[in-house]
């Protein structure tokens, strides 16, 4: 067995002699059968969870995490996603069939010890940096394996109006629920815009170990594995790493129960009009009055979060009237003369235009077809995201801005001599108008010269025309 570098200088496990048995074993997996077997086990786990038969849940989870199908699906997930070429602290990626097959055999609970995370930072929309923890390929595969067993439990116990990081749910579903809760004439008029400060970084480890229904020893190792930064290892005392496969599900499990708590105090269909719409750590709560949200709802939410080691962000949490509108998931929700209109938020539009203009500015000398290939996915993705709301006017404005940016790009690449029309622009300049008139007079004089001969007399004061 040897270690080699791939094209991007990442260590890749390669056998000393290529084994056709390993190659056929990975490519010969019947993925339809694998998915069917895992799905059947997950259904049994969900049924046991619904019946609150926790002993059976634990037995089925143990069976799934030790099964061949579960391990194959976990390795496939982490080696075929967008982060498959991103290594952890060991600088190893599983890019060959042999390494993937060998990775399946390494997914064992006995003797398992996760390596520290590789700390990287990505920019946030407010200019700050968001820390990410990148696990190794083996740790990612182990998390994906145990996620297969935890996901049925999390989905069964989840809040009805929780939409973030859940299968078959998206931001469009959350916006639809906002419309349902706010569109009627008698709907709630006040909204508590809540945002949790550093949700992933501050979740209490003891709370997770006591309440998350999975193997506690494996979970404890993940939470306490620490991270590497500048060749130094640091311990983690709270939070789940952003970048882990299982972290979003752990965060959802920590926040599930908020909707049930509010229903317990105000009822499911209540005169106070209290409703919750949550997407990950960003959520809104509606209410009949500002006083209700300030004095009753907000203290309940703060107490709920305090048990989990969390708190609301003072900068992003505020109470707003529906006539003033609020931004949620990149959309602006507001009532205009009693009619609810949802359209793209100004901040979202600005970020999109800045991104597109940046792509154009960074490709001033690129071929047209290459620039189109870079712009199309961005434009199509943004348009698809907003297609379910009132975005016609915004689409027209964005289309105009994109045309102007591309027109400037095209003018820069074309000289006046090569293409006078492009250089002139959409509207002809005064200089072009003067030049056109001068050329027109010259053509007229040329035609006139075919019939008459123009000559000045001796006094220099008059012109005389002589027939030719």
């Amino acid at each position: 067995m040897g270690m080699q570098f791939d094209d991007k200088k990442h260590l890749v496990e390669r056998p000393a002699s290529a084994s056709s048995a390993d190659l056929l074993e990975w490519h010969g997996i019947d993925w339809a059968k694998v998915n069917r077997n895992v799905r059947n086990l997950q259904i049994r786990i969900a049924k046991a969870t619904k019946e609150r038969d926790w002993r059976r849940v634990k037995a089925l989870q143990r069976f799934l995490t030790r099964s061949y199908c579960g391990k194959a699906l976990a390795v496939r997930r982490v080696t075929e996603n967008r982060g498959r070429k991103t290594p952890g602290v060991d600088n190893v990626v599983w890019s060959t069939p042999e390494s993937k097959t060998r990775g399946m055999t390494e997914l064992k609970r006995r003797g398992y010890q996760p390596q520290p995370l590789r700390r990287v930072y990505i920019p946030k929309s407010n200019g700050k940096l968001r820390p990410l923890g990148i696990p190794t390929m083996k740790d990612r595969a182990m998390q994906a394996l145990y996620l297969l067993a935890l996901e049925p439990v999390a989905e069964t116990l989840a809040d009805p109006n929780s939409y973030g990081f859940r299968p078959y749910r998206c931001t469009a579903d959350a916006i639809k629920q906002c419309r349902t809760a706010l569109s009627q004439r008698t709907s709630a008029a006040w909204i508590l815009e809540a945002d949790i400060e550093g949700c992933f970084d501050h979740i209490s480890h003891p709370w997770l170990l006591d309440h998350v229904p999975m193997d506690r020893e494996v979970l404890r190792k993940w939470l306490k594995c620490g991270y590497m930064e500048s060749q130094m290892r640091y311990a983690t005392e709270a939070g789940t790493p952003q970048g882990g496969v299982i972290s979003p599900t752990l965060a959802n499990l920590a926040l599930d129960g908020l909707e049930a708590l509010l229903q317990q105090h105000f009822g499911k269909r209540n005169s106070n009009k209290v409703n919750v719409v949550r997407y990950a750590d960003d959520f809104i709560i509606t209410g009949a009055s500002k006083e209700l949200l300030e004095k009753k709802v907000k203290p309940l939410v703060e107490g709920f979060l305090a048990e989990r080691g969390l708190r609301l962000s003072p900068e992003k949490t505020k109470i707003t009237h529906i006539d003033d509108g609020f931004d949620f998931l990149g959309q602006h929700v507001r009532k205009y003369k009693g009619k609810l209109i949802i359209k793209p938020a100004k901040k979202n539009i600005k970020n999109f235009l800045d991104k597109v203009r940046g792509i154009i500015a960074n490709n001033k000398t690129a071929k047209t077809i290459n620039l189109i290939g870079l712009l199309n996915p961005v434009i199509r993705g943004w348009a698809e995201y907003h297609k379910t709301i009132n975005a016609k006017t915004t689409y027209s404005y964005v289309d105009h801005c994109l045309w102007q940016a591309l027109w400037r790009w095209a003018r820069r690449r074309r000289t006046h001599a090569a293409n006078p029309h492009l250089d002139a622009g959409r509207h002809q300049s005064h200089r072009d108008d003067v030049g056109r008139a001068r050329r027109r007079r010259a053509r007229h004089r040329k035609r006139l010269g075919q019939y008459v001969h123009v000559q000045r007399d001796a006094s220099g004061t008059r012109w005389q025309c002589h027939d030719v």
Side-chain angles (χ1 to χ4, degrees):
M1 185 62 59
M3 303 295 289
Q4 299 179 11
F5 288 95
D6 64 359
D7 295 338
K8 293 193 175 183
K9 306 302 181 183
H10 297 152
L11 283 174
V12 181
E13 294 186 52
R14 302 187 188 276
S17 60
S19 172
S20 60
D22 288 343
L23 187 67
L24 291 175
E25 187 175 354
W26 178 258
H27 288 303
I29 295 176
D30 186 352
W31 292 109
K33 183 178 180 180
V34 166
N35 282 286
R36 185 169 59 251
N37 291 342
V38 172
R39 181 67 175 171
N40 289 338
L41 277 174
Q42 289 180 323
I43 291 174
R44 293 172 64 185
I45 294 173
K47 288 182 178 179
T49 304
K50 203 168 184 179
E51 297 169 357
R52 297 298 191 266
D53 188 352
W54 300 112
R55 178 174 294 182
R56 184 167 180 79
V57 168
K58 187 176 181 180
L60 290 171
Q61 285 181 327
R62 186 187 305 115
F63 182 73
L64 177 55
T65 54
R66 297 180 181 182
S67 67
Y68 173 86
C69 293
K71 294 178 180 180
L73 205 59
V75 172
R76 188 186 189 191
R77 172 170 180 172
V78 300
T79 55
E80 296 186 5
N81 59 8
R82 294 177 61 184
R84 63 186 181 275
K85 297 181 181 179
T86 305
V89 293
D90 57 356
N91 207 31
V92 172
V93 293
W94 293 347
S95 58
T96 63
E98 297 86 356
S99 60
K100 296 175 185 178
T101 305
R102 194 171 305 104
M104 290 171 53
T105 63
E106 295 176 359
L107 302 183
K108 298 178 180 179
R109 181 184 184 278
R110 178 174 297 179
Y112 171 67
Q113 183 61 45
Q115 297 189 51
L117 308 172
R118 182 167 69 91
R119 175 60 62 89
V120 297
Y121 293 91
I122 60 174
K124 298 170 67 175
S125 59
N126 58 5
K128 298 181 181 179
L129 295 177
R130 184 191 307 276
L132 291 183
I134 309 299
T136 62
M137 291 298 295
K138 180 180 178 180
D139 295 336
R140 272 180 267 177
M142 282 291 286
Q143 291 186 16
L145 177 61
Y146 277 84
L147 178 61
L148 292 173
L150 179 62
E151 196 171 61
V153 182
E155 287 298 303
T156 305
L157 302 177
D159 289 344
N161 291 313
S162 168
Y163 299 95
F165 304 117
R166 294 183 61 186
Y168 311 112
R169 295 195 175 204
C170 62
T171 55
D173 298 317
I175 295 299
K176 180 181 178 181
Q177 181 59 28
C178 289
R179 184 182 295 276
T180 301
L182 298 168
S183 61
Q184 300 300 320
R185 183 171 55 86
T186 57
S187 298
W190 292 91
I191 297 94
L192 171 65
E193 302 175 62
D195 186 88
I196 301 173
E197 184 177 16
C199 178
F200 285 87
D201 300 329
H202 299 101
I203 299 179
S204 170
H205 286 178
W207 191 96
L208 289 175
L209 293 171
D210 291 339
H211 294 87
V212 175
M214 66 168 290
D215 191 317
R216 292 186 61 185
E217 184 61 23
V218 175
L219 178 60
R220 185 189 63 80
K221 290 180 180 179
W222 284 337
L223 297 176
K224 301 295 184 181
C225 66
Y227 63 93
M228 296 288 294
E229 183 176 7
S230 301
Q231 304 299 321
M232 295 288 293
R233 182 168 182 169
Y234 299 90
T236 50
E237 301 299 333
T240 60
Q242 296 189 55
V245 178
I246 205 172
S247 296
T249 303
L250 295 178
N252 268 337
L253 284 169
L255 298 176
D256 284 332
L258 176 60
E259 193 169 351
L261 175 67
L262 294 176
Q263 288 179 1
Q264 180 182 351
H265 284 79
F266 302 102
K268 191 170 184 179
R269 295 182 178 274
N270 53 82
S271 59
N272 294 312
K273 305 174 184 178
V274 176
N275 299 285
V276 185
V277 182
R278 181 171 67 84
Y279 191 93
D281 59 338
D282 192 9
F283 61 93
I284 64 166
I285 302 177
T286 65
S289 66
K290 186 176 182 179
E291 293 74 17
L292 173 72
L293 295 176
E294 282 183 344
K295 298 179 180 179
K296 293 185 179 181
V297 174
K298 191 174 179 181
L300 282 176
V301 174
E302 290 174 342
F304 174 85
L305 296 176
E307 296 177 5
R308 292 151 175 79
L310 304 172
R311 69 187 187 97
L312 294 175
S313 171
E315 300 142 5
K316 299 181 181 180
T317 302
K318 54 186 177 181
I319 298 176
T320 311
H321 195 274
I322 189 62
D323 290 341
D324 298 327
F326 63 95
D327 292 345
F328 185 57
L329 303 178
Q331 321 284 21
H332 184 72
V333 185
R334 182 179 175 183
K335 271 189 176 180
Y336 297 85
K337 296 181 180 180
K339 183 176 179 61
L340 185 71
I341 301 294
I342 304 177
K343 56 186 180 181
K346 291 182 179 180
K347 184 178 179 181
N348 182 272
I349 299 171
K350 181 181 181 301
N351 291 339
F352 169 70
L353 290 176
D354 289 346
K355 182 176 182 180
V356 172
R357 288 164 180 159
I359 294 174
I360 296 173
N362 294 332
N363 292 273
K364 293 179 179 179
T365 59
K367 293 183 178 180
T368 304
I369 190 172
N370 294 337
L371 180 63
I372 292 174
L374 293 173
L375 290 178
N376 270 352
V378 178
I379 298 173
R380 188 184 301 116
W382 184 84
E384 286 288 325
Y385 182 82
H386 294 288
K387 70 178 182 180
T388 59
I389 61 172
N390 310 98
K392 180 180 178 181
T393 304
T394 303
Y395 283 169
S396 299
Y397 168 73
V398 169
D399 179 66
H400 172 70
C401 294
L402 293 181
W403 190 95
Q404 286 186 322
L406 290 173
W407 182 258
R408 287 191 293 269
W409 177 84
R411 285 186 62 186
R412 181 187 179 277
R413 295 166 59 87
R414 299 292 187 268
T415 63
H416 179 71
N419 197 328
H421 176 68
L422 272 179
D423 186 65
R426 179 181 287 184
H427 305 288
Q428 293 293 341
S429 65
H430 176 69
R431 184 190 308 174
D432 294 330
D433 292 338
V434 173
R436 190 183 300 109
R438 186 181 297 115
R439 290 191 296 270
R440 186 167 56 248
R441 289 193 299 268
R443 288 194 302 268
H444 178 69
R445 286 196 300 268
K446 183 178 180 180
R447 289 194 299 267
L448 184 62
Q450 297 176 2
Y451 304 100
V452 298
H453 177 66
V454 181
Q455 181 179 0
R456 194 174 186 183
D457 61 359
S459 63
T461 59
R462 296 191 321 174
W463 288 89
Q464 295 180 354
C465 294
H466 303 275
D467 293 338
V468 177

